[in-house]
Amino acid sequence: QVQLQESGPGLVKPSQTLSLTCTVSGGSISSGSYYWSWIRQPAGKGLEWIGRIYTSGSTNYNPSLKSRVTISVDTSKNQFSLKLSSVTAADTAVYYCARERLAALDYWGQGTLVTVSS
Amino acid sequence: QSALTQPASVSGSPGQSITISCTGTSSDVGGYNYVSWYQQHPGKAPKLMIYDVSNRPSGVSNRFSGSKSGNTASLTISGLQAEDEADYYCSSYTSSSTPYVFGTGTKVTVL
């Protein structure tokens, strides 16, 4: 059973960089034809796709966030990471990592709340 | 890329059937058979309920079924139960600037 777990600071100051890591267990992040994705959800609102990385390292980002987002993978640690720079209060949300295959997100982390505040 | 359109809320009594619609365009829902549905209980992560329009992952109740006609996909919950009360989101592969897009979300209430 594949499991994903997000980790990182729950509080980030405005203009700083948000950094989160997703640790995958129960399977190798390098095996299979999967994308590894980040999605966020502001309180009381819908889901917003942030971006994804393939096992080869190729990435896709949401155009609305592209200039501020970097997603990377560390296969030796079975982890992938999200960096979002120049954050504002609008970036406050629950951040989820998930595994994707053919546009279906079949395994999700529990989510982690990140608050942007001074 | 605009979000797919879902009704804000749908309600039904226990045992009834309800249907949630998800309307897109020919560039997403209508153009590909890659529509998924997610169930999200308060404070929990979304859970995949349907993928590829009508397929259920292992462990998902057969009370949940999906279909598509033109640019609109639908999720039907039959034999509605109290535990089905949750938010539901659709998503679709899209040929636009993002690989897929989510729906606006529907709150299902069991009366």
Side-chain angles (χ1 to χ4, degrees):
Chain A
Q1 177 80 346
V2 174
Q3 292 184 313
L4 293 86
Q5 177 70 57
E6 305 89 350
S7 60
L11 180 64
V12 181
K13 288 181 166 50
S15 80
Q16 293 191 341
T17 296
L18 177 161
S19 296
L20 295 174
T21 296
C22 183
T23 301
V24 180
S25 59
S28 171
I29 201 170
S30 302
S31 65
S33 302
Y34 300 112
Y35 284 95
W36 301 93
S37 300
W38 288 97
I39 300 99
R40 69 181 182 179
Q41 185 174 36
K45 297 189 177 181
L47 301 167
E48 180 182 28
W49 179 76
I50 298 171
R52 65 182 186 179
I53 189 165
Y54 194 57
T55 52
S56 64
S58 65
T59 54
N60 302 104
Y61 299 130
N62 188 322
S64 68
L65 300 170
K66 187 175 183 178
S67 63
R68 299 194 291 131
V69 174
T70 302
I71 296 176
S72 59
V73 64
D74 186 337
T75 55
S76 67
K77 294 182 178 179
N78 229 31
Q79 296 175 334
F80 64 107
S81 299
L82 167 71
K83 290 188 185 300
L84 181 66
S85 64
S86 305
V87 297
T88 69
D91 295 309
T92 294
V94 175
Y95 285 75
Y96 295 101
C97 59
R99 188 182 82 169
E100 178 213 329
R101 184 175 180 275
L102 296 177
L105 297 155
D106 56 357
Y107 289 98
W108 294 65
Q110 65 184 25
T112 187
L113 174 63
V114 178
T115 301
V116 178
S117 175
S118 54
Chain B
Q1 175 65 41
S2 298
L4 305 175
T5 301
Q6 299 180 232
S9 63
V10 173
S11 61
S13 299
Q16 286 186 330
S17 292
I18 62 169
T19 296
I20 303 168
S21 61
C22 170
T23 301
T25 68
S26 58
S27 296
D28 39 63
V29 175
Y32 307 93
N33 288 324
Y34 292 131
V35 176
S36 300
W37 289 90
Y38 303 90
Q39 176 192 64
Q40 185 179 35
H41 287 110
K44 300 295 186 181
K47 174 187 176 183
L48 180 65
M49 304 301 283
I50 296 288
Y51 67 97
D52 294 354
V53 176
S54 60
N55 292 318
R56 280 187 309 275
S58 175
V60 172
S61 171
N62 59 8
R63 296 186 299 104
F64 292 84
S65 61
S67 63
K68 189 184 84 167
S69 177
N71 295 337
T72 297
S74 299
L75 173 71
T76 297
I77 309 174
S78 59
L80 198 61
Q81 299 179 1
E83 67 203 49
D84 300 332
E85 187 162 291
D87 292 328
Y88 291 82
Y89 293 90
C90 62
S91 75
S92 172
Y93 178 82
T94 171
S95 59
S96 72
S97 54
T98 58
Y100 51 87
V101 59
F102 287 107
T104 50
T106 298
K107 181 175 180 57
V108 168
T109 300
V110 180
L111 302 172

